Amino acid sequence: MLTEKTMERLRILAESAKYDVSCSSSGTVRKGQAGMVGSTVGGVGICHSFADDGRCISLLKVMLTNHCKFDCAYCINRRSNDIPRATLSVSELEEITMEFYRRNYIEGLFLSSGVVRNADYTMERLTAIVRDLRTIHRFNGYIHLKAIPGASEELMAEAGRHADRMSVNIEIPREDSLKLLAPEKDHQSVFQPMRFIEQGMLENKEDRRRMRHVPRFVPAGQSTQMIVGATKESDRDILQMSSALYHQPTMRRVYYSGYISVNTYDPRLPNLKQPPLVRENRLYQADWLMRFYHFNVDEIVDDQHTHLDLDIDPKLAWALRHPEYFPVDINTADYERLLRVPGLGTKSAWLIVSSRRFGRLTSYDLRKMGVVMKKAKFFITCGELTDGYSQPIVGINELRPERLRPLLISKAQQRRAAAEQQLSLDFGDS
């Protein structure tokens, strides 16, 4: 029975958990079974998002407790913060999860916690919850569990047998900045549980090759999160860390969270009026380029461009810096080369390669495939876009990047840039 007091504690703990954005998942299929409750239909469990079949899928996103022994400057739950505190017992959180599922409020659980007493004590309670949900309550839905840095390998191994995804947040990409804002933490304490999880996943994969019915270990892989704007790290620092993590075979997603000024009284933190949402969006776009468009991190950011351009997306910024790469002939270029063209996505590039076997493609065909011709027309040649065409398209090499850039920036972005320039004018003394 969910009492009013329990629901009030749940409200406090759900509020404390909302700043962790690394709560979506994909890549696991847990089918419905006789005697079990729930499933992960379609292999996707995404917090407040939509599945491929159009369903809105939601997770109960909650902390076991928002008491914490650490005093991390960027965290709302830091030890020195004066906020409402609450703790749920293991049985209470299990009951809440099952009740919410039976009422069709949720399809899974995202569970984290502040660190109380020590890492093993906290991790033991989190592990008990996911174990009981699977073995006692027969819950077969999606579970994402936050691993506690410093917890023992045995607890990590037991938790991984019951969770679909586990994650440990790096938070700050450079250790010197992490030490500044969280003196009690270091990167070693974060990377150690990541290695435990990775080792368990690789061993499980090998076991399943020999024995088909071996229970899966963290089938949806790992994820992590980095805070953007709390420290002076450049986008290059952040993306280099992400690139290194993606080279690990079990890392599925790196999330970027624009810093929200939750502790405005701390002089170590920037005084931001609003989170850097545009920068966060550009980092996600760059992350997408590394994961699906075969870009190296050094191509996106380098010594001359340590920060992403906020006015244009990273792919377009790369194209403007490399006019020698263009134009790309749509009818002859390979898939890898097509991926570099602004306005072309992975799906449209695949459609182009598949379709041109049956005839030469024109701009009309490209529009039908979903190509954004407003961008792409400056970087390609195809069918009628040739010198013999009555009105040939002028490309990047004729316009030059510095003249083309303003044409590709939206009017809203141009107004914003003009306003910023106007505010920065120095009129001097007259």
Side-chain angles (χ1 to χ4, degrees):
M1 183 67 180
L2 301 181
T3 65
E4 185 176 342
K5 185 176 181 181
T6 301
M7 294 304 295
E8 175 61 21
R9 281 184 286 165
L10 177 61
R11 184 193 65 77
I12 294 172
L13 293 170
E15 180 74 15
S16 295
K18 72 179 184 180
Y19 297 101
D20 195 327
V21 300
S22 61
C23 61
S24 65
S25 163
S26 63
T28 180
V29 176
R30 194 180 292 274
K31 298 181 179 179
Q33 300 176 9
M36 301 292 285
V37 178
S39 65
T40 55
V41 179
V44 183
I46 306 175
C47 189
H48 305 296
S49 188
F50 292 90
D52 292 339
D53 58 3
R55 294 177 305 115
C56 181
I57 306 175
S58 59
L59 306 179
L60 171 60
K61 186 177 180 181
V62 67
M63 300 182 73
L64 177 64
T65 178
N66 63 352
H67 290 276
C68 190
K69 70 174 188 176
F70 294 123
D71 200 30
C72 307
Y74 49 80
C75 183
I76 187 67
N77 302 307
R78 62 186 290 185
R79 181 179 66 234
S80 58
N81 246 11
D82 184 17
I83 61 170
R85 303 283 180 173
T87 301
L88 290 170
S89 68
V90 170
S91 59
E92 283 177 325
L93 211 150
E94 294 170 7
E95 181 185 7
I96 289 170
T97 303
M98 296 308 299
E99 285 293 325
F100 277 29
Y101 184 84
R102 292 189 182 101
R103 297 176 188 183
N104 202 29
Y105 293 164
I106 62 169
E107 295 187 59
L109 172 67
F110 174 86
L111 180 60
S112 61
S113 178
V115 181
V116 291
R117 295 192 185 178
N118 55 62
D120 277 348
Y121 175 81
T122 306
M123 192 67 201
E124 187 175 5
R125 289 164 63 83
L126 295 175
T127 303
I129 292 170
V130 296
R131 181 185 63 238
D132 290 351
L133 284 173
R134 296 295 193 206
T135 59
I136 298 176
H137 300 282
R138 312 298 290 172
F139 180 68
N140 202 39
Y142 174 78
I143 296 179
H144 182 148
L145 183 65
K146 300 293 293 188
I148 303 299
S152 68
E153 188 172 358
E154 291 76 14
L155 287 171
M156 293 286 181
E158 184 177 4
R161 289 194 289 270
H162 303 292
D164 292 288
R165 170 166 287 189
M166 295 182 70
S167 56
V168 190
N169 286 350
I170 293 177
E171 305 293 16
I172 308 296
R174 288 176 51 182
E175 186 158 13
D176 55 344
S177 297
L178 179 65
K179 281 290 188 182
L180 174 66
L181 300 184
E184 300 157 297
K185 291 184 177 180
D186 55 40
H187 276 174
Q188 177 61 28
S189 65
V190 177
F191 293 141
Q192 185 176 16
M194 282 186 175
R195 286 193 292 269
F196 287 163
I197 298 169
E198 179 180 345
Q199 181 180 358
M201 291 179 64
L202 295 177
E203 290 176 355
N204 180 254
K205 184 178 180 180
E206 192 63 33
D207 291 341
R208 287 179 63 84
R209 287 177 179 171
R210 298 193 302 267
M211 296 171 285
R212 181 179 179 183
H213 297 290
V214 171
R216 301 187 72 181
F217 184 91
V218 195
Q222 300 189 66
S223 63
T224 190
Q225 170 181 284
M226 283 187 279
I227 298 174
V228 178
T231 50
K232 295 181 179 180
E233 276 82 9
S234 65
D235 293 336
R236 187 185 186 193
D237 295 326
I238 296 172
L239 291 173
Q240 283 179 335
M241 173 63 76
S242 298
S243 179
L245 292 171
Y246 282 134
H247 280 88
Q248 298 177 7
T250 62
M251 182 59 64
R252 297 293 182 266
R253 285 294 305 272
V254 177
Y255 292 86
Y256 309 95
S257 177
Y259 173 67
I260 301 173
S261 297
V262 293
N263 300 318
T264 55
Y265 56 84
D266 196 319
R268 293 173 293 175
L269 295 168
N271 186 17
L272 301 179
K273 294 181 179 179
Q274 61 182 15
L277 298 180
V278 177
R279 184 183 178 193
E280 176 187 310
N281 182 52
R282 296 298 181 218
L283 285 168
Y284 275 114
Q285 291 174 330
D287 184 276
W288 210 257
L289 293 182
M290 291 191 296
R291 294 170 61 210
F292 300 110
Y293 289 78
H294 308 167
F295 276 75
N296 294 321
V297 64
D298 293 331
E299 294 178 299
I300 303 170
V301 283
D302 53 30
D303 292 334
Q304 288 75 38
H305 307 89
T306 58
H307 285 278
L308 298 172
D309 195 321
L310 299 184
D311 291 328
I312 56 177
D313 66 82
K315 188 178 179 181
L316 179 56
W318 178 87
L320 292 176
R321 293 199 303 267
H322 297 85
E324 71 282 357
Y325 192 87
F326 304 100
V328 172
D329 191 335
I330 290 297
N331 287 289
T332 60
D334 59 22
Y335 178 75
E336 296 286 335
R337 192 171 180 85
L338 291 173
L339 287 178
R340 299 279 169 146
V341 177
L344 266 69
T346 54
K347 183 178 179 181
S348 55
W350 178 83
L351 285 172
I352 289 170
V353 173
S354 302
S355 302
R356 66 192 183 190
R357 293 177 297 171
F358 307 102
R360 290 182 62 80
L361 301 178
T362 67
S363 62
Y364 175 76
D365 300 315
L366 298 181
R367 287 190 177 91
K368 288 176 64 177
M369 294 176 186
V371 175
V372 183
M373 290 299 292
K374 181 180 178 180
K375 289 183 180 179
K377 66 182 181 181
F378 298 105
F379 301 93
I380 62 173
T381 59
C382 69
E384 79 279 13
L385 304 181
T386 63
D387 293 336
Y389 183 49
S390 58
Q391 291 182 344
I393 296 295
V394 179
I396 182 174
N397 289 300
E398 290 77 23
L399 276 176
R400 309 302 298 168
E402 58 273 15
R403 294 176 58 194
L404 178 57
R405 177 188 167 92
L407 300 178
L408 297 172
I409 298 177
S410 68
K411 293 182 179 180
Q413 290 172 323
Q414 291 177 17
R415 287 195 298 268
R416 186 185 67 185
E420 291 175 352
Q421 290 175 1
Q422 184 176 4
L423 289 173
S424 63
L425 289 177
D426 183 11
F427 293 96
D429 296 326
S430 56

